[in-house]
Amino acid sequence: MLGDVTQTTDSAAAGPTQDDGRPVDRKPSRLRIHRAWIVAVVTFVTIIGGAAFNSLPGLLIDPLHTEFGWSRGEIGLAVSIDMALYGLTAPFAAALMDRFGIRRVVVVALSTVAAGALASVWMTASWQLMIYWGLLVGLGTGSMALAFSATVTNRWFVARRGLVTGILTAAGASGQLVFLPLCAWIVEEHGWRPASVTVALAALVVVPFVWLLMRDHPADVGLAPYGGAYVEKPAPARGAAVRTVRVLFDAARTGPFWLLAGTFAICGASTNGLIRTHFVPSAHDHGMPITAAASLLAVIGVFDIIGTVFSGWLTDRFDARRLLAVYYALRGVSLLFLPMLMAPTVHPPMVFFIVFYGLDWVATVPPTLALCRERYGEDSAIVFGWVLASHQVGAALVAFLGGVARDVFGSYDMVWYASGALCATAALMALVIRGQAQTPQPVVVAR
């Protein structure tokens, strides 16, 4: 492609020079792959490895309850700590990467989650589960959250940025598709400990690839970003964390922030906290095998990709507020019907629910991000990071309260009904979000 040839020429011109200032004469290879694509592949594989940890908690509730006698509320608390820390760490992950570099942060994060998963094999008390899976895995996965793919895309790509963003976003769903059925089979056939070891090894296997192939910035290897001009590597940023907190305090003084955070908290409650954590044990309560229930969750991952892309297309054409209201309203209605769909076997109405829920799973992200951009301008990325944190806090609360409700009522029916009501509330909240016209920027005419 012409763009690829131009990219190679720009990179060569911007690279090392001779003593007289002329660029070193390098013969570009037509078959050369730009290093940015290698970095993108490593990022994709890393996110898939991280998805292994997100796939396991829902599969562990029944085995841990059976072996140790821990209540589902105790187990749900560990999962909620994991989700809360995932969300609260995410806004600072970009600052950590600016300060210490992508490669170091990701290697430490992968090693941390692997240590937490491996240590859990020898645990004997519920507080250890909260330390290993709650604290360690939560901090580690939070450091590889949205900021990881966003930082890689912004640094390494100018052209094809939208394509790469979509591919890296799909990596999480792809990892769920790979690991959910595998981990479910391991848990059912060999127990939860081999499954925990498996996801730890998945993280450790990725570490050498990250260390050897990942680079923090194109300038580290004398290249320009793909499709762009060569730029020098910026000095380590020391004030990014302070700015992250300052933006939070500024946004918190506005009503739209709380409406966005509230609706996205309900989004997290009804996806990661509810379905991802409690769907498998709820289906198992009705006699469905764990492997079958986990496979249904994996199917959600497939339609998740389709729904997100289509939602982005709709967001470019329709009012984001109305889209959010429709998404949350339909999600709430579907949850009200879910208790009637639970059965020992998979039947067509349940398959329809899974397909629909997959399409709606993160369809809320494009309109939510669009509203952040409309209201908060250049700070929108950081504001969205905090809104994402509220998503995980909502998920954490329902992961815990859902387990408590199962202990108290003996079934998950009340959890589904309550979540349906919450989604109806989110639909109403979305309709009253108001944007704000951005300050017009001066037009600069290139000469």
Side-chain angles (χ1 to χ4, degrees):
M1 291 172 53
L2 180 60
D4 294 332
V5 175
T6 303
Q7 176 64 53
T8 304
T9 305
D10 291 343
S11 301
T17 58
Q18 300 179 21
D19 293 339
D20 58 3
R22 292 178 300 158
V24 175
D25 183 19
R26 290 191 281 190
K27 295 181 180 180
S29 171
R30 293 182 179 179
L31 299 178
R32 182 179 179 184
I33 298 175
H34 193 281
R35 183 66 174 267
W37 293 109
I38 298 175
V39 172
V41 169
V42 174
T43 304
F44 185 89
V45 173
T46 303
I47 294 173
I48 286 180
F53 296 92
N54 295 328
S55 302
L56 197 55
L59 303 176
L60 296 183
I61 292 178
D62 282 339
L64 293 177
H65 173 71
T66 300
E67 178 173 339
F68 297 107
W70 301 337
S71 71
R72 289 175 175 82
E74 288 179 293
I75 301 169
L77 179 58
V79 177
S80 71
I81 293 172
D82 170 23
M83 291 182 175
L85 286 177
Y86 178 96
L88 295 173
T89 303
F92 296 95
L96 290 172
M97 291 177 184
D98 287 341
R99 178 66 180 88
F100 299 105
I102 299 174
R103 185 170 59 163
R104 290 180 181 176
V105 171
V106 172
V107 166
V108 171
L110 287 168
S111 301
T112 301
V113 290
L118 285 175
S120 67
V121 172
W122 294 281
M123 66 184 175
T124 57
S126 59
W127 66 264
Q128 294 170 328
L129 177 67
M130 295 172 194
I131 295 294
Y132 302 148
W133 274 96
L135 180 63
L136 294 180
V137 174
L139 289 174
T141 53
S143 299
M144 296 184 295
L146 183 67
F148 178 33
S149 57
T151 303
V152 168
T153 304
N154 291 341
R155 290 187 184 181
W156 281 91
F157 290 88
V158 174
R160 306 288 190 273
R161 200 174 262 178
L163 173 64
V164 175
T165 300
I167 292 173
L168 295 182
T169 301
S174 302
Q176 177 176 309
L177 182 63
V178 170
F179 281 103
L180 257 174
L182 173 63
C183 291
W185 177 81
I186 294 174
V187 169
E188 195 164 75
E189 296 295 327
H190 304 286
W192 66 270
R193 287 181 176 84
S196 187
V197 172
T198 298
V199 296
L201 292 178
L204 291 176
V205 165
V206 178
V207 168
F209 293 97
V210 173
W211 189 255
L212 294 174
L213 300 177
M214 178 69 69
R215 291 296 181 270
D216 295 331
H217 196 278
D220 289 339
V221 288
L223 292 175
Y226 181 80
Y230 181 86
V231 292
E232 293 291 341
K233 182 178 180 179
R238 298 179 182 273
V242 174
R243 184 191 175 202
T244 301
V245 176
R246 178 182 57 78
V247 169
L248 170 63
F249 281 106
D250 290 342
R253 297 190 182 98
T254 65
F257 172 79
W258 292 107
L259 290 170
L260 287 166
T263 55
F264 220 42
I266 293 173
C267 177
S270 56
T271 52
N272 291 351
L274 182 66
I275 298 294
R276 180 171 288 172
T277 305
H278 294 294
F279 178 81
V280 171
S282 178
H284 190 56
D285 283 348
H286 289 79
M288 185 180 293
I290 290 178
T291 50
S295 297
L296 289 175
L297 277 187
V299 172
I300 284 180
V302 176
F303 288 93
D304 173 8
I305 301 169
I306 300 171
T308 305
V309 174
F310 185 55
S311 178
W313 183 85
L314 290 175
T315 302
D316 290 334
R317 290 160 176 79
F318 299 97
D319 186 348
R321 298 161 187 78
R322 294 184 179 182
L323 287 177
L324 281 179
V326 171
Y327 294 158
Y328 285 121
L330 292 176
R331 183 183 298 183
V333 170
S334 69
L335 287 172
L336 295 179
F337 282 97
L338 183 56
M340 294 179 282
L341 303 180
M342 291 292 184
T345 58
V346 179
H347 48 85
M350 175 59 82
V351 174
F352 177 81
F353 170 85
I354 291 296
V355 171
F356 172 79
Y357 220 83
L359 292 172
D360 192 70
W361 187 268
V362 289
T364 55
V365 172
T368 299
L369 184 55
L371 290 172
C372 286
R373 191 180 300 117
E374 174 187 338
R375 179 62 177 78
Y376 299 103
E378 63 180 12
D379 289 332
S380 61
I382 298 177
V383 172
F384 181 71
W386 286 112
V387 171
L388 178 65
S390 74
H391 180 280
Q392 292 304 114
V393 171
L397 287 173
V398 170
F400 169 60
L401 294 177
V404 172
R406 172 61 177 81
D407 292 330
V408 173
F409 299 108
S411 76
Y412 282 100
D413 289 358
M414 289 299 299
V415 180
W416 307 127
Y417 296 140
S419 298
L422 279 176
C423 289
T425 303
L428 296 175
M429 292 169 64
L431 289 174
V432 299
I433 297 174
R434 292 290 178 265
Q436 174 177 300
Q438 299 299 315
T439 303
Q441 299 296 321
V443 178
V444 179
V445 179
R447 299 182 180 277

